[in-house]
Amino acid sequence: MNIDISKISALNERFLVMLSTGRDSVCMTDILCKNYDKSKMVFVYLWFYPEGCLSYRDEYIKSIEEKYGIEVKYHPHFECYQINKKAPKLSFSAQRDWLMKKYNCTRTAYGWRKGESFQRNIILKHAPGGVPLDKPINAQSDDEQYKDPQSHIYPLWNINESELERYVIENKIELSIEYQYGLRDINIYSGVYAKFLHDVFPKDFEMSCKYHPQLKREYHRVISID
């Protein structure tokens, strides 16, 4: 497997590492912790459900902290307003810039890979070695997350799906429990995801309903379809 982050390792900068708790971001964390100075990285988890709502997610993040000797910072996701009207509306770039300034970071690490989408192929085509070129790229998109690529890095830039699956096995990467149920990491609980939370972690379901008022309705909607 060709995992080449030599250009990233040579940067000698301070990184903001976006840890979603999904497979790609956890593998990215593993690679960075093995190949970069951990004191120069700040790991951030952007939540839709605040700390204390999802005990299983909190426990998983704690296991990552203990495994790598790091601290994961909790911050609300910029789209929390989708499930809680009291949450402020933020943009992708506004939150990223705020976090980078808060933690004095010059670049943000994302677990993006070639082949995931047309737009990511364009981005990574102009980021050899996972580091964007100095010249602006033509992402052919008005999406804010593509407007400032020079502040990003992509440690998984050249890893395909089968290689990543092999990396998980060979490096004994513990994935979040959602994967055991045929699901991936979950941001907003709806549909079968709401049923998963209700059935597997009922206490977490009740706690989350206090923050996400429509969660019970979503659960009853999906079981009525079944």
Side-chain angles (χ1 to χ4, degrees):
M1 188 187 313
N2 180 27
I3 300 178
D4 180 11
I5 67 163
S6 57
K7 287 186 68 174
I8 293 175
S9 299
L11 287 172
N12 194 29
E13 298 181 30
R14 189 169 170 84
F15 301 156
L16 183 73
V17 182
M18 306 308 291
L19 175 63
S20 70
T21 72
R23 180 198 59 180
D24 291 15
S25 73
V26 174
C27 287
M28 173 181 67
T29 296
D30 185 80
I31 291 169
L32 285 174
C33 285
K34 291 175 179 176
N35 294 278
Y36 202 73
D37 184 349
K38 287 185 283 188
S39 69
K40 293 182 178 179
M41 294 187 286
V42 178
F43 299 85
V44 172
Y45 169 65
L46 300 182
W47 52 261
F48 277 91
Y49 302 83
E51 190 172 5
C53 280
L54 302 173
S55 63
Y56 84 91
R57 181 67 53 80
D58 294 339
E59 289 171 5
Y60 180 60
I61 291 175
K62 185 177 180 181
S63 73
I64 292 174
E65 291 178 319
E66 293 175 348
K67 179 177 181 178
Y68 298 109
I70 62 175
E71 178 185 2
V72 178
K73 311 287 188 180
Y74 280 65
H75 287 280
H77 196 281
F78 65 94
E79 292 184 319
C80 274
Y81 63 85
Q82 291 188 29
I83 62 173
N84 191 302
K85 293 181 179 180
K86 295 180 181 179
K89 269 192 176 184
L90 298 172
S91 69
F92 176 98
S93 59
Q95 183 176 53
R96 178 205 63 203
D97 292 348
W98 181 84
L99 287 168
M100 289 177 69
K101 183 176 181 180
K102 176 178 176 63
Y103 294 113
N104 192 29
C105 295
T106 56
R107 294 180 188 262
T108 303
Y110 293 99
W112 296 358
R113 298 182 292 107
K114 290 179 181 178
E116 288 187 290
S117 69
F118 174 73
Q119 289 176 323
R120 291 190 180 183
N121 275 342
I122 293 175
I123 294 291
L124 295 172
K125 179 181 178 181
H126 296 273
V131 181
L133 300 171
D134 292 335
K135 62 182 180 180
I137 64 171
N138 177 19
Q140 300 178 358
S141 171
D142 292 330
D143 194 319
E144 286 183 322
Q145 62 184 301
Y146 299 109
K147 289 183 179 178
D148 187 18
Q150 274 65 46
S151 64
H152 299 169
I153 57 170
Y154 313 99
L156 305 184
W157 66 283
N158 66 333
I159 302 177
N160 62 36
E161 181 69 19
S162 61
E163 288 175 328
L164 196 65
E165 290 176 354
R166 190 163 78 250
Y167 186 89
V168 169
I169 296 171
E170 292 177 352
N171 291 272
K172 299 179 180 179
I173 303 296
E174 179 188 356
L175 299 180
S176 184
I177 196 171
E178 294 99 331
Y179 289 88
Q180 297 178 24
Y181 290 82
L183 307 172
R184 55 161 292 159
D185 59 304
I186 300 167
N187 290 325
I188 297 175
Y189 289 85
S190 61
V192 295
Y193 298 99
K195 187 175 186 300
F196 157 81
L197 187 63
H198 176 277
D199 294 351
V200 182
F201 299 102
K203 291 183 179 179
D204 287 359
F205 178 83
E206 292 300 326
M207 285 291 294
S208 297
C209 283
K210 297 177 182 178
Y211 184 78
H212 183 183
Q214 300 301 315
L215 185 56
K216 279 189 178 180
R217 182 180 297 178
E218 186 62 22
Y219 165 73
H220 288 294
R221 181 189 70 79
V222 74
I223 64 172
S224 68
I225 296 175
D226 293 342

